[in-house]
Amino acid sequence: MIYLSQFTFPDIEEEYDFLMGIKRTCYDTFYPFQVLSKHRLRQLDFETVTILYGGNGSGKSTALNVMAEKLALSRDTLYNRSNFFEDYTKRCGYRLESGKKHCEGRIITSDDVFDFMLNLRTINEGVDNKREEMFEEYMELKYSHFRMRSLEDYERLKKVNGARRKTQSKYIRENHMDNVREHSNGESAFAYFTDKITENGLFLLDEPENSLSPERQRELVQFIGDAARFYGCQFVIATHSPFLLSMRGAKIYDLDEEPVDVKRWTQLGNVRAYYDFFREHAREFE
């Protein structure tokens, strides 16, 4: 399914005209101006899965943030919006699938995933601390010499009797929640993607391979492929992971080229480096 068919960015001349008219001199950067135009990226035409490839500083994350801002897509965390972001996005344009006036979807960044994992860790640490408090409470109740003197002591008496009738582990299980998730970082990151990517929408993914092992990256490739094929999703992905770059049918823009060009995944510098490395060590795998 294709929701976003085309997106255009201002060219060098448009940027020059705007920047020449700026009277303010207190800024040392005009980001996101002069980032994408550096590689003469003027237009992106999209397939069901489109990938933006490039090294650090190539502008692939900037392109995703600009598109998300222009399309008003949902997002969880803040980003480097800068003072000139609105001026830049005003000069961008896009074309949706015929008949559509608005595009539902979300941008998912590394910061979103990291914040999610940190939140889980914080919750679990809080649960662990509470559990330790309950261990102490159990021991105090079980071996206390409590005597009920009035009705106000009734709840306390129930706790004492409960502790005396149960083992420590059973008391904790019955009176305290388990940790929210007992997952590794990779499992938690993968769970975040599967939770946020829903049916029938446009999803921009910024380096989703971060925090994912090679095995998990391959699972994510399968998940994205199924979501695109069976559940009406469109994806634009910024990545340099060979596993994601190898997705069947994906259209890949090489942002390291000037001008930006469409390439096969096997032509990309990052992938060729992996290929050359493993070919040099082929005998060690035999």
Side-chain angles (χ1 to χ4, degrees), residues 128-144:
D128 288 337
N129 291 337
K130 182 64 176 177
R131 186 183 290 114
E132 292 298 323
E133 292 175 8
M134 293 201 71
F135 284 146
E136 296 176 7
E137 178 184 72
Y138 171 82
M139 297 301 291
E140 191 273 329
L141 290 171
K142 189 175 181 70
Y143 299 106
S144 70

Side-chain angles (χ1 to χ4, degrees), residues 21-123:
I22 295 177
K23 304 294 185 181
R24 293 166 289 185
T25 59
C26 58
Y27 301 104
D28 56 5
T29 177
F30 299 104
Y31 179 84
F33 286 93
Q34 301 177 319
V35 174
L36 300 173
S37 60
K38 181 171 56 179
H39 295 280
R40 290 189 278 168
L41 177 58
R42 182 70 180 87
Q43 179 176 306
L44 294 173
D45 296 298
F46 301 99
E47 300 293 337
T48 305
V49 177
T50 304
I51 296 178
L52 308 183
Y53 162 85
N56 294 333
S58 62
K60 58 185 187 295
S61 296
T62 296
L64 288 189
N65 281 320
V66 167
M67 287 188 284
E69 179 78 10
K70 186 71 175 181
L71 296 166
L73 300 183
S74 300
R75 67 187 309 144
D76 284 344
T77 57
L78 300 176
Y79 64 105
N80 181 21
R81 197 172 182 280
S82 84
N83 294 287
F84 295 99
F85 221 89
E86 186 175 353
D87 293 318
Y88 186 86
T89 55
K90 282 180 180 178
R91 288 160 175 78
C92 295
Y94 61 87
R95 188 169 71 233
L96 301 181
E97 182 189 29
S98 178
K100 289 190 175 293
K101 295 183 179 179
H102 179 66
C103 189
E104 296 290 341
R106 166 179 294 273
I107 180 171
I108 300 176
T109 69
S110 297
D111 286 343
D112 297 333
V113 179
F114 289 148
D115 283 357
F116 172 72
M117 292 189 296
L118 287 174
N119 288 340
L120 279 183
R121 188 176 301 169
T122 300
I123 291 171

Side-chain angles (χ1 to χ4, degrees), residues 61 145 176:
S61 296
H145 299 288
H176 190 45

